[in-house]
Amino acid sequence: MHISRRFFAFGLGLAAALSAPLAAQAQQGRELVVASSATYAPFAFENKDKQIVGFDIDIINAVAKKQALKIKVVNTPFSGIFAALNNGDVDLVISGVTINDKRRQSYDFTEPYFAAQQLIAVPKASTMAALKDLAGKKIAVVNASTADDVASREFGKTSPNIRRFESTPLIISEVAGGGVDAAIGDNGVIAYRVAQNPALKTVEDRGFPVEGFGIVVKKGDKALLDKLNAGLAAVRADGSYNEIYKKWFGKDYQPR
């Protein structure tokens, strides 16, 4: 009986030893599902052929290529993007997600792949040059966004001059149509939309804090996080990052 127990224990150990590398190989070869909300041009949006394209998409494809990862990008509403990660429906998220302390409690982030900052859109003839100049003016922001927080802190959360909308295209439409005096939003998205509207210009207030966008994985998924960080570093090192940045923002990347 004593001998058979030893052989039983040996058999379990041998099975575990053999299955570990097999499991690792299966993990390495399987397709990773990437969630991105395709309503956030130029980071992720659908082109005329209904393909998901954008800065975020090019970045994750370049990272995956560097790390020999198989990926599939799925269009996921931003409101449900973290639930999809929690439930295991997706393996990672890249969707203009700002890295902050609250989110770090529940998820792990790569190093920042984009330096985000708030940007103001105003009519071409406007003389406004900073956030403080918007006092008493009508301001459009996306509801519950960083811009909403900024405007609420500066002018009061219940200020009737803060007009809240559901998307960046709507706030740009409001300022272009004269419904508001200015719109505030993430720099990449505001700059992209303003470039398409010759009646508008952007105003940069250096007082706005710089925030980083990061790729998101489940808390504790260190193996995947390390691969993504290594891929990002390689993409930056070989110049691919700058090429992608220039493609979508029309200028070379300038570190802040």
Side-chain angles (χ1 to χ4, degrees):
M1 185 70 174
H2 185 62
I3 294 174
S4 62
R5 281 179 179 170
R6 284 185 177 178
F7 274 98
F8 179 70
F10 173 76
L12 286 177
L14 181 61
L18 290 173
S19 63
L22 290 175
Q25 289 172 16
Q27 176 75 11
Q28 178 70 20
R30 77 178 180 87
E31 185 175 64
L32 299 174
V33 181
V34 180
S36 194
S37 179
T39 57
Y40 196 57
F43 292 91
F45 61 101
E46 286 188 342
N47 64 14
K48 59 182 178 62
D49 299 319
K50 298 298 182 181
Q51 298 167 323
I52 303 175
V53 298
F55 178 79
D56 280 1
I57 308 307
D58 284 354
I59 289 293
I60 195 61
N61 280 325
V63 167
K65 185 176 180 180
K66 290 291 185 185
Q67 292 296 299
L69 300 173
K70 298 176 184 177
I71 64 168
K72 177 178 71 173
V73 179
V74 295
N75 188 0
T76 309
F78 195 84
S79 59
I81 215 161
F82 293 106
L85 184 61
N86 290 338
N87 296 337
D89 298 326
V90 303
D91 298 286
L92 61 143
V93 172
I94 183 166
S95 195
V97 181
T98 302
I99 303 168
N100 59 40
D101 291 339
K102 183 178 180 181
R103 285 174 175 158
R104 280 188 185 277
Q105 293 175 14
S106 303
Y107 308 97
D108 283 339
F109 286 84
T110 61
E111 294 298 315
Y113 68 88
F114 185 84
Q117 194 169 31
Q118 296 304 292
L119 191 64
I120 305 168
V122 296
K124 270 276 175 67
S126 175
T127 59
M128 290 178 279
L131 178 64
K132 63 181 178 60
D133 297 333
L134 301 185
K137 305 294 184 182
K138 295 183 182 67
I139 307 163
V141 298
V142 174
N143 186 41
S145 66
T146 301
D148 190 353
D149 292 340
V150 167
S152 295
R153 283 196 301 269
E154 186 73 16
F155 306 114
K157 189 172 181 63
T158 59
S159 169
N161 287 327
I162 301 175
R163 311 290 173 85
R164 296 173 174 89
F165 299 86
E166 291 305 311
S167 69
T168 302
L170 288 176
I171 67 174
I172 291 296
S173 177
E174 278 296 304
V175 70
V180 297
D181 300 293
I184 308 174
D186 288 338
N187 55 345
V189 181
I190 292 293
Y192 180 82
R193 295 290 179 181
V194 168
Q196 297 174 328
N197 195 317
L200 303 179
K201 67 178 181 180
T202 59
V203 173
E204 185 175 355
D205 187 326
R206 285 290 180 177
F208 288 140
V210 177
E211 305 161 314
F213 288 169
I215 304 171
V216 195
V217 300
K218 276 189 173 182
K219 196 73 175 174
D221 193 349
K222 187 176 184 302
L224 180 54
L225 190 68
D226 287 347
K227 288 177 182 178
L228 295 173
N229 274 324
L232 281 172
V235 167
R236 288 186 183 279
D238 73 357
S240 299
Y241 181 90
N242 187 65
E243 291 177 11
I244 295 169
Y245 189 94
K246 192 170 184 178
K247 171 184 173 180
W248 292 106
F249 301 107
K251 58 184 178 181
D252 289 327
Y253 170 70
Q254 297 292 333
R256 290 179 179 271

